[in-house]
Amino acid sequence: MTEHMPQEDAKTPNADMQHHIQSQLPAQELFSALGQSLQPDLLVHALTHRSFAHEHEGLPTNERLEFLGDAVLELVSTETLYKIHPDMNEGQLAKMRAKAVSEESLSAIARTKLHLGQYILLGHGEEESGGADKDSILCDTVEALIGAVFVEHGIDGARATVHQLIDDTLAEVATEGPALDWKTSVTVKAHQLGFGDPTYRMSVSGPEYAQVFTADLILTGTESVIGQGQASSKRKAQLVAAEAGWKALDDSETVKQLKREVSTI
């Protein structure tokens, strides 16, 4: 028998607010997509973005569940890749896992499998700015739901949910080539074309609780930005910029311009 974790020890939210939220959620559709049901209070907890919690005193955010779900997701995806790719080394497996559980992949799952944007509880400002379709919020909420499934159903239930959500993605990433490691791939391509290493010029904007990192990719010895990425973390922004830069180096005019810059610097 699976040993379940105890329920979260966060403050009990206002009963009227909790009941109202629960009554508005078409939970059965979401449970079907997850392959598991959740207690109403735990479901609300998993769907509560910090912007909503800040506007409704007593509601806990989903950040602790997100932290837990991230660990469960990494464990199950690692276990799966280890079993189905016995011929691959650690580095290859790590790249595949990183791609499969990336913000890009999880936000796509949130949109196509869970239709999650309609369920997420957002504050007015975040909702008005399109928060229900932001990759970062969708990704975090998927992880929070996985964490909630683990809390209620233990590792066996969480494993089943993770398989239902990401097995298709795990199969796809094995065929994606450079997409598994954009930063390495853009470096290799730049060297093949005779350029120096990529460098990432970073900037950050927005309030402390919702910072946006911007990465501008420039090849050493040149001046032009060949790729730009924006994301909720420095690493993710650099990955987006690396992908854009890798694709830019397929353009012959861009390469010619870069070579002119090298010759004049």
Short mmCIF file of all heavy atoms in Angstrom, two decimals, residues 27-84:
data_model
loop_
_atom_site.label_atom_id
_atom_site.label_comp_id
_atom_site.label_asym_id
_atom_site.label_seq_id
_atom_site.Cartn_x
_atom_site.Cartn_y
_atom_site.Cartn_z
N ALA A 27 -13.81 20.65 -12.29
CA ALA A 27 -12.69 19.81 -11.87
C ALA A 27 -12.61 18.49 -12.61
O ALA A 27 -11.51 17.97 -12.84
CB ALA A 27 -12.78 19.58 -10.36
N GLN A 28 -13.75 17.92 -12.98
CA GLN A 28 -13.72 16.58 -13.56
C GLN A 28 -12.93 16.53 -14.86
O GLN A 28 -12.24 15.55 -15.14
CB GLN A 28 -15.15 16.08 -13.79
CG GLN A 28 -15.24 14.57 -13.98
CD GLN A 28 -14.57 13.80 -12.84
OE1 GLN A 28 -14.84 14.07 -11.66
NE2 GLN A 28 -13.68 12.90 -13.17
N GLU A 29 -13.03 17.57 -15.65
CA GLU A 29 -12.27 17.62 -16.91
C GLU A 29 -10.77 17.59 -16.63
O GLU A 29 -10.00 16.92 -17.31
CB GLU A 29 -12.64 18.87 -17.69
CG GLU A 29 -14.10 18.94 -18.12
CD GLU A 29 -14.45 20.28 -18.74
OE1 GLU A 29 -13.50 21.01 -19.11
OE2 GLU A 29 -15.65 20.58 -18.86
N LEU A 30 -10.36 18.35 -15.64
CA LEU A 30 -8.95 18.40 -15.29
C LEU A 30 -8.49 17.08 -14.68
O LEU A 30 -7.40 16.59 -15.00
CB LEU A 30 -8.70 19.56 -14.31
CG LEU A 30 -7.24 19.85 -13.94
CD1 LEU A 30 -6.40 20.11 -15.17
CD2 LEU A 30 -7.18 21.05 -13.00
N PHE A 31 -9.31 16.49 -13.84
CA PHE A 31 -8.96 15.20 -13.24
C PHE A 31 -8.79 14.13 -14.31
O PHE A 31 -7.92 13.27 -14.23
CB PHE A 31 -10.03 14.76 -12.24
CG PHE A 31 -10.12 15.63 -11.02
CD1 PHE A 31 -11.28 15.64 -10.24
CD2 PHE A 31 -9.06 16.44 -10.63
CE1 PHE A 31 -11.37 16.43 -9.10
CE2 PHE A 31 -9.14 17.23 -9.50
CZ PHE A 31 -10.30 17.23 -8.74
N SER A 32 -9.64 14.16 -15.33
CA SER A 32 -9.54 13.19 -16.42
C SER A 32 -8.21 13.33 -17.14
O SER A 32 -7.56 12.34 -17.48
CB SER A 32 -10.71 13.39 -17.39
OG SER A 32 -10.61 12.49 -18.48
N ALA A 33 -7.79 14.58 -17.37
CA ALA A 33 -6.52 14.82 -18.06
C ALA A 33 -5.33 14.41 -17.20
O ALA A 33 -4.32 13.92 -17.71
CB ALA A 33 -6.40 16.29 -18.44
N LEU A 34 -5.46 14.58 -15.87
CA LEU A 34 -4.38 14.21 -14.95
C LEU A 34 -4.35 12.70 -14.70
O LEU A 34 -3.32 12.15 -14.31
CB LEU A 34 -4.55 14.92 -13.61
CG LEU A 34 -4.24 16.41 -13.54
CD1 LEU A 34 -4.67 16.97 -12.20
CD2 LEU A 34 -2.76 16.68 -13.78
N GLY A 35 -5.50 12.05 -14.86
CA GLY A 35 -5.59 10.63 -14.54
C GLY A 35 -5.75 10.38 -13.06
O GLY A 35 -5.69 9.23 -12.60
N GLN A 36 -5.98 11.42 -12.28
CA GLN A 36 -6.16 11.32 -10.82
C GLN A 36 -7.11 12.41 -10.36
O GLN A 36 -7.18 13.48 -10.96
CB GLN A 36 -4.82 11.50 -10.08
CG GLN A 36 -3.72 10.55 -10.46
CD GLN A 36 -3.92 9.15 -9.88
OE1 GLN A 36 -4.83 8.92 -9.09
NE2 GLN A 36 -3.05 8.23 -10.27
N SER A 37 -7.84 12.15 -9.30
CA SER A 37 -8.66 13.19 -8.68
C SER A 37 -7.90 13.79 -7.50
O SER A 37 -6.94 13.20 -7.01
CB SER A 37 -9.99 12.60 -8.21
OG SER A 37 -9.76 11.61 -7.22
N LEU A 38 -8.35 14.94 -7.08
CA LEU A 38 -7.75 15.62 -5.94
C LEU A 38 -8.85 16.15 -5.02
O LEU A 38 -9.93 16.53 -5.50
CB LEU A 38 -6.88 16.80 -6.39
CG LEU A 38 -5.60 16.48 -7.17
CD1 LEU A 38 -5.02 17.74 -7.79
CD2 LEU A 38 -4.58 15.81 -6.26
N GLN A 39 -8.56 16.19 -3.73
CA GLN A 39 -9.48 16.82 -2.80
C GLN A 39 -9.65 18.30 -3.19
O GLN A 39 -8.69 18.94 -3.64
CB GLN A 39 -8.95 16.71 -1.37
CG GLN A 39 -8.95 15.30 -0.82
CD GLN A 39 -10.36 14.75 -0.69
OE1 GLN A 39 -11.28 15.46 -0.27
NE2 GLN A 39 -10.52 13.49 -1.07
N PRO A 40 -10.86 18.85 -3.05
CA PRO A 40 -11.11 20.22 -3.52
C PRO A 40 -10.13 21.26 -2.98
O PRO A 40 -9.65 22.12 -3.73
CB PRO A 40 -12.54 20.50 -3.02
CG PRO A 40 -13.17 19.15 -2.97
CD PRO A 40 -12.09 18.22 -2.53
N ASP A 41 -9.80 21.17 -1.67
CA ASP A 41 -8.90 22.17 -1.11
C ASP A 41 -7.49 22.03 -1.68
O ASP A 41 -6.79 23.03 -1.90
CB ASP A 41 -8.87 22.10 0.41
CG ASP A 41 -8.44 20.75 0.95
OD1 ASP A 41 -8.53 19.75 0.20
OD2 ASP A 41 -8.02 20.67 2.11
N LEU A 42 -7.07 20.81 -1.96
CA LEU A 42 -5.74 20.60 -2.53
C LEU A 42 -5.69 21.06 -3.98
O LEU A 42 -4.68 21.61 -4.45
CB LEU A 42 -5.36 19.12 -2.41
CG LEU A 42 -3.91 18.75 -2.74
CD1 LEU A 42 -2.92 19.55 -1.90
CD2 LEU A 42 -3.69 17.25 -2.52
N LEU A 43 -6.78 20.86 -4.71
CA LEU A 43 -6.85 21.34 -6.09
C LEU A 43 -6.75 22.86 -6.13
O LEU A 43 -5.98 23.41 -6.92
CB LEU A 43 -8.16 20.88 -6.74
CG LEU A 43 -8.45 21.44 -8.14
CD1 LEU A 43 -7.37 21.01 -9.13
CD2 LEU A 43 -9.83 21.02 -8.61
N VAL A 44 -7.52 23.53 -5.28
CA VAL A 44 -7.46 25.00 -5.22
C VAL A 44 -6.04 25.45 -4.88
O VAL A 44 -5.51 26.40 -5.48
CB VAL A 44 -8.47 25.53 -4.20
CG1 VAL A 44 -8.26 27.03 -3.97
CG2 VAL A 44 -9.89 25.28 -4.68
N HIS A 45 -5.42 24.78 -3.92
CA HIS A 45 -4.06 25.12 -3.53
C HIS A 45 -3.11 25.02 -4.73
O HIS A 45 -2.30 25.92 -4.97
CB HIS A 45 -3.62 24.15 -2.42
CG HIS A 45 -2.32 24.50 -1.78
ND1 HIS A 45 -1.84 23.84 -0.69
CD2 HIS A 45 -1.37 25.44 -2.07
CE1 HIS A 45 -0.67 24.35 -0.34
NE2 HIS A 45 -0.37 25.32 -1.18
N ALA A 46 -3.21 23.96 -5.51
CA ALA A 46 -2.31 23.76 -6.65
C ALA A 46 -2.52 24.79 -7.74
O ALA A 46 -1.59 25.08 -8.51
CB ALA A 46 -2.52 22.35 -7.22
N LEU A 47 -3.71 25.35 -7.83
CA LEU A 47 -4.03 26.30 -8.90
C LEU A 47 -3.87 27.76 -8.48
O LEU A 47 -4.09 28.66 -9.29
CB LEU A 47 -5.47 26.07 -9.37
CG LEU A 47 -5.75 24.71 -10.03
CD1 LEU A 47 -7.25 24.56 -10.29
CD2 LEU A 47 -4.98 24.54 -11.32
N THR A 48 -3.48 28.00 -7.24
CA THR A 48 -3.42 29.37 -6.72
C THR A 48 -2.06 30.02 -6.97
O THR A 48 -1.08 29.73 -6.29
CB THR A 48 -3.73 29.39 -5.21
OG1 THR A 48 -5.04 28.84 -4.99
CG2 THR A 48 -3.71 30.82 -4.69
N HIS A 49 -2.04 30.89 -7.95
CA HIS A 49 -0.83 31.68 -8.24
C HIS A 49 -0.63 32.73 -7.15
O HIS A 49 -1.59 33.17 -6.52
CB HIS A 49 -0.98 32.35 -9.60
CG HIS A 49 0.24 33.07 -10.07
ND1 HIS A 49 0.38 34.45 -10.01
CD2 HIS A 49 1.40 32.61 -10.60
CE1 HIS A 49 1.55 34.79 -10.49
NE2 HIS A 49 2.20 33.71 -10.87
N ARG A 50 0.61 33.11 -6.93
CA ARG A 50 0.89 34.05 -5.84
C ARG A 50 0.16 35.38 -6.02
O ARG A 50 -0.18 36.03 -5.03
CB ARG A 50 2.40 34.28 -5.72
CG ARG A 50 3.06 34.91 -6.92
CD ARG A 50 4.54 35.16 -6.63
NE ARG A 50 5.22 35.70 -7.81
CZ ARG A 50 5.87 34.93 -8.69
NH1 ARG A 50 5.92 33.63 -8.51
NH2 ARG A 50 6.47 35.47 -9.74
N SER A 51 -0.11 35.79 -7.25
CA SER A 51 -0.81 37.06 -7.45
C SER A 51 -2.24 37.00 -6.91
O SER A 51 -2.77 37.99 -6.42
CB SER A 51 -0.83 37.41 -8.95
OG SER A 51 -1.53 36.43 -9.70
N PHE A 52 -2.87 35.83 -7.00
CA PHE A 52 -4.22 35.65 -6.45
C PHE A 52 -4.17 35.59 -4.93
O PHE A 52 -5.01 36.18 -4.25
CB PHE A 52 -4.83 34.36 -7.02
CG PHE A 52 -6.28 34.17 -6.69
CD1 PHE A 52 -7.27 34.70 -7.51
CD2 PHE A 52 -6.68 33.45 -5.56
CE1 PHE A 52 -8.62 34.52 -7.21
CE2 PHE A 52 -8.01 33.27 -5.26
CZ PHE A 52 -8.99 33.81 -6.09
N ALA A 53 -3.19 34.86 -4.42
CA ALA A 53 -3.07 34.74 -2.95
C ALA A 53 -2.83 36.10 -2.31
O ALA A 53 -3.32 36.37 -1.20
CB ALA A 53 -1.94 33.78 -2.61
N HIS A 54 -2.08 36.97 -2.98
CA HIS A 54 -1.81 38.29 -2.42
C HIS A 54 -3.08 39.11 -2.31
O HIS A 54 -3.18 40.01 -1.46
CB HIS A 54 -0.80 39.03 -3.29
CG HIS A 54 0.59 38.46 -3.20
ND1 HIS A 54 1.58 38.75 -4.12
CD2 HIS A 54 1.14 37.61 -2.31
CE1 HIS A 54 2.68 38.10 -3.78
NE2 HIS A 54 2.44 37.40 -2.69
N GLU A 55 -4.07 38.83 -3.15
CA GLU A 55 -5.33 39.57 -3.12
C GLU A 55 -6.38 38.93 -2.22
O GLU A 55 -7.43 39.52 -2.00
CB GLU A 55 -5.88 39.70 -4.55
CG GLU A 55 -5.02 40.54 -5.47
CD GLU A 55 -5.59 40.64 -6.87
OE1 GLU A 55 -6.72 40.13 -7.09
OE2 GLU A 55 -4.91 41.20 -7.75
N HIS A 56 -6.12 37.71 -1.76
CA HIS A 56 -7.09 36.99 -0.94
C HIS A 56 -6.38 36.42 0.29
O HIS A 56 -5.83 35.31 0.25
CB HIS A 56 -7.77 35.87 -1.73
CG HIS A 56 -8.54 36.37 -2.92
ND1 HIS A 56 -7.92 36.60 -4.14
CD2 HIS A 56 -9.84 36.71 -3.07
CE1 HIS A 56 -8.83 37.05 -5.00
NE2 HIS A 56 -10.00 37.12 -4.38
N GLU A 57 -6.37 37.18 1.33
CA GLU A 57 -5.63 36.79 2.54
C GLU A 57 -6.11 35.43 3.05
O GLU A 57 -7.30 35.15 3.13
CB GLU A 57 -5.83 37.84 3.63
CG GLU A 57 -4.99 37.59 4.87
CD GLU A 57 -5.14 38.69 5.90
OE1 GLU A 57 -5.83 39.68 5.61
OE2 GLU A 57 -4.57 38.54 6.99
N GLY A 58 -5.15 34.58 3.37
CA GLY A 58 -5.46 33.26 3.91
C GLY A 58 -5.31 32.13 2.91
O GLY A 58 -5.26 30.97 3.29
N LEU A 59 -5.24 32.47 1.62
CA LEU A 59 -5.03 31.43 0.62
C LEU A 59 -3.53 31.20 0.43
O LEU A 59 -2.80 32.15 0.14
CB LEU A 59 -5.65 31.82 -0.72
CG LEU A 59 -7.16 31.67 -0.87
CD1 LEU A 59 -7.60 32.19 -2.23
CD2 LEU A 59 -7.58 30.22 -0.71
N PRO A 60 -3.05 29.98 0.54
CA PRO A 60 -1.63 29.71 0.29
C PRO A 60 -1.35 29.69 -1.20
O PRO A 60 -2.21 29.34 -2.01
CB PRO A 60 -1.42 28.31 0.91
CG PRO A 60 -2.77 27.66 0.78
CD PRO A 60 -3.78 28.76 0.95
N THR A 61 -0.14 30.06 -1.59
CA THR A 61 0.24 29.97 -3.00
C THR A 61 0.60 28.52 -3.33
O THR A 61 0.79 27.69 -2.44
CB THR A 61 1.46 30.85 -3.30
OG1 THR A 61 2.65 30.23 -2.77
CG2 THR A 61 1.31 32.23 -2.68
N ASN A 62 0.75 28.26 -4.61
CA ASN A 62 1.09 26.89 -5.04
C ASN A 62 2.60 26.66 -5.13
O ASN A 62 3.04 25.64 -5.68
CB ASN A 62 0.44 26.58 -6.39
CG ASN A 62 0.93 27.48 -7.52
OD1 ASN A 62 1.84 28.31 -7.34
ND2 ASN A 62 0.33 27.34 -8.69
N GLU A 63 3.41 27.56 -4.60
CA GLU A 63 4.85 27.48 -4.82
C GLU A 63 5.50 26.28 -4.13
O GLU A 63 6.44 25.68 -4.66
CB GLU A 63 5.51 28.79 -4.39
CG GLU A 63 5.12 29.94 -5.33
CD GLU A 63 5.63 31.29 -4.86
OE1 GLU A 63 6.02 31.41 -3.68
OE2 GLU A 63 5.62 32.23 -5.68
N ARG A 64 5.02 25.91 -2.93
CA ARG A 64 5.58 24.72 -2.26
C ARG A 64 5.22 23.44 -3.04
O ARG A 64 6.05 22.55 -3.19
CB ARG A 64 5.06 24.64 -0.83
CG ARG A 64 5.79 25.55 0.15
CD ARG A 64 5.07 25.66 1.50
NE ARG A 64 4.75 24.36 2.07
CZ ARG A 64 5.59 23.62 2.80
NH1 ARG A 64 6.83 24.05 3.02
NH2 ARG A 64 5.22 22.46 3.30
N LEU A 65 3.99 23.38 -3.54
CA LEU A 65 3.59 22.23 -4.35
C LEU A 65 4.39 22.18 -5.66
O LEU A 65 4.73 21.09 -6.14
CB LEU A 65 2.09 22.27 -4.65
CG LEU A 65 1.15 21.96 -3.48
CD1 LEU A 65 -0.29 22.18 -3.89
CD2 LEU A 65 1.35 20.52 -3.00
N GLU A 66 4.66 23.34 -6.21
CA GLU A 66 5.49 23.40 -7.43
C GLU A 66 6.89 22.83 -7.15
O GLU A 66 7.43 22.07 -7.96
CB GLU A 66 5.59 24.86 -7.88
CG GLU A 66 6.53 25.09 -9.05
CD GLU A 66 6.95 26.55 -9.15
OE1 GLU A 66 6.21 27.43 -8.65
OE2 GLU A 66 8.03 26.80 -9.72
N PHE A 67 7.47 23.22 -6.02
CA PHE A 67 8.79 22.73 -5.63
C PHE A 67 8.78 21.20 -5.52
O PHE A 67 9.68 20.51 -6.01
CB PHE A 67 9.17 23.37 -4.29
CG PHE A 67 10.40 22.81 -3.65
CD1 PHE A 67 11.67 23.16 -4.11
CD2 PHE A 67 10.31 21.94 -2.57
CE1 PHE A 67 12.81 22.65 -3.50
CE2 PHE A 67 11.44 21.43 -1.96
CZ PHE A 67 12.70 21.78 -2.43
N LEU A 68 7.75 20.67 -4.90
CA LEU A 68 7.62 19.23 -4.74
C LEU A 68 7.40 18.55 -6.08
O LEU A 68 8.04 17.53 -6.42
CB LEU A 68 6.45 18.92 -3.80
CG LEU A 68 6.11 17.46 -3.52
CD1 LEU A 68 7.29 16.73 -2.89
CD2 LEU A 68 4.88 17.36 -2.62
N GLY A 69 6.50 19.09 -6.88
CA GLY A 69 6.20 18.50 -8.19
C GLY A 69 7.38 18.49 -9.12
O GLY A 69 7.56 17.55 -9.91
N ASP A 70 8.20 19.52 -9.06
CA ASP A 70 9.41 19.58 -9.89
C ASP A 70 10.32 18.40 -9.59
O ASP A 70 10.86 17.77 -10.51
CB ASP A 70 10.13 20.90 -9.63
CG ASP A 70 11.44 21.00 -10.39
OD1 ASP A 70 11.41 21.03 -11.62
OD2 ASP A 70 12.50 21.03 -9.73
N ALA A 71 10.48 18.07 -8.31
CA ALA A 71 11.34 16.94 -7.92
C ALA A 71 10.74 15.61 -8.38
O ALA A 71 11.46 14.73 -8.87
CB ALA A 71 11.54 16.94 -6.40
N VAL A 72 9.43 15.46 -8.23
CA VAL A 72 8.76 14.23 -8.66
C VAL A 72 8.88 14.06 -10.17
O VAL A 72 9.19 12.98 -10.68
CB VAL A 72 7.29 14.23 -8.23
CG1 VAL A 72 6.55 13.03 -8.81
CG2 VAL A 72 7.17 14.23 -6.71
N LEU A 73 8.66 15.14 -10.89
CA LEU A 73 8.75 15.11 -12.36
C LEU A 73 10.14 14.71 -12.82
O LEU A 73 10.30 13.89 -13.73
CB LEU A 73 8.39 16.49 -12.91
CG LEU A 73 8.49 16.70 -14.42
CD1 LEU A 73 7.54 15.76 -15.16
CD2 LEU A 73 8.18 18.15 -14.77
N GLU A 74 11.16 15.28 -12.19
CA GLU A 74 12.53 14.94 -12.57
C GLU A 74 12.85 13.49 -12.27
O GLU A 74 13.49 12.80 -13.08
CB GLU A 74 13.52 15.87 -11.86
CG GLU A 74 14.96 15.64 -12.30
CD GLU A 74 15.87 16.81 -12.00
OE1 GLU A 74 15.47 17.96 -12.26
OE2 GLU A 74 16.98 16.57 -11.51
N LEU A 75 12.38 12.99 -11.13
CA LEU A 75 12.62 11.60 -10.78
C LEU A 75 11.99 10.65 -11.79
O LEU A 75 12.65 9.74 -12.31
CB LEU A 75 12.05 11.31 -9.38
CG LEU A 75 12.00 9.83 -8.98
CD1 LEU A 75 13.39 9.23 -8.89
CD2 LEU A 75 11.24 9.65 -7.67
N VAL A 76 10.72 10.85 -12.08
CA VAL A 76 10.00 9.93 -12.96
C VAL A 76 10.53 10.02 -14.40
O VAL A 76 10.68 8.99 -15.08
CB VAL A 76 8.49 10.19 -12.92
CG1 VAL A 76 7.75 9.27 -13.90
CG2 VAL A 76 7.96 9.98 -11.50
N SER A 77 10.84 11.21 -14.86
CA SER A 77 11.37 11.33 -16.22
C SER A 77 12.76 10.70 -16.32
O SER A 77 13.08 10.05 -17.32
CB SER A 77 11.41 12.81 -16.65
OG SER A 77 12.23 13.57 -15.78
N THR A 78 13.57 10.87 -15.29
CA THR A 78 14.90 10.24 -15.27
C THR A 78 14.77 8.72 -15.28
O THR A 78 15.46 8.03 -16.03
CB THR A 78 15.69 10.69 -14.03
OG1 THR A 78 15.82 12.10 -14.02
CG2 THR A 78 17.08 10.04 -14.01
N GLU A 79 13.91 8.21 -14.44
CA GLU A 79 13.66 6.77 -14.36
C GLU A 79 13.21 6.22 -15.72
O GLU A 79 13.69 5.18 -16.18
CB GLU A 79 12.57 6.52 -13.31
CG GLU A 79 12.08 5.09 -13.20
CD GLU A 79 10.91 5.00 -12.24
OE1 GLU A 79 9.86 5.65 -12.48
OE2 GLU A 79 11.04 4.28 -11.24
N THR A 80 12.33 6.94 -16.39
CA THR A 80 11.80 6.49 -17.68
C THR A 80 12.87 6.49 -18.75
O THR A 80 13.04 5.51 -19.50
CB THR A 80 10.63 7.40 -18.11
OG1 THR A 80 9.64 7.40 -17.08
CG2 THR A 80 10.02 6.90 -19.41
N LEU A 81 13.62 7.58 -18.84
CA LEU A 81 14.69 7.65 -19.86
C LEU A 81 15.76 6.60 -19.62
O LEU A 81 16.29 6.00 -20.56
CB LEU A 81 15.31 9.06 -19.84
CG LEU A 81 14.42 10.18 -20.38
CD1 LEU A 81 15.02 11.54 -20.07
CD2 LEU A 81 14.19 10.02 -21.88
N TYR A 82 16.08 6.36 -18.36
CA TYR A 82 17.08 5.34 -18.02
C TYR A 82 16.64 3.97 -18.52
O TYR A 82 17.46 3.20 -19.04
CB TYR A 82 17.26 5.32 -16.50
CG TYR A 82 18.27 4.30 -16.01
CD1 TYR A 82 19.63 4.61 -15.99
CD2 TYR A 82 17.87 3.04 -15.57
CE1 TYR A 82 20.57 3.69 -15.54
CE2 TYR A 82 18.79 2.12 -15.12
CZ TYR A 82 20.14 2.44 -15.12
OH TYR A 82 21.05 1.51 -14.67
N LYS A 83 15.37 3.67 -18.40
CA LYS A 83 14.88 2.35 -18.79
C LYS A 83 14.75 2.20 -20.30
O LYS A 83 15.05 1.14 -20.86
CB LYS A 83 13.52 2.09 -18.13
CG LYS A 83 13.60 1.85 -16.63
CD LYS A 83 12.21 1.63 -16.05
CE LYS A 83 12.27 1.35 -14.55
NZ LYS A 83 10.91 1.19 -13.96
N ILE A 84 14.27 3.24 -21.00
CA ILE A 84 13.98 3.07 -22.43
C ILE A 84 15.16 3.37 -23.34
O ILE A 84 15.09 3.10 -24.54
CB ILE A 84 12.76 3.91 -22.84
CG1 ILE A 84 13.04 5.41 -22.71
CG2 ILE A 84 11.53 3.51 -22.03
CD1 ILE A 84 11.88 6.29 -23.18
#
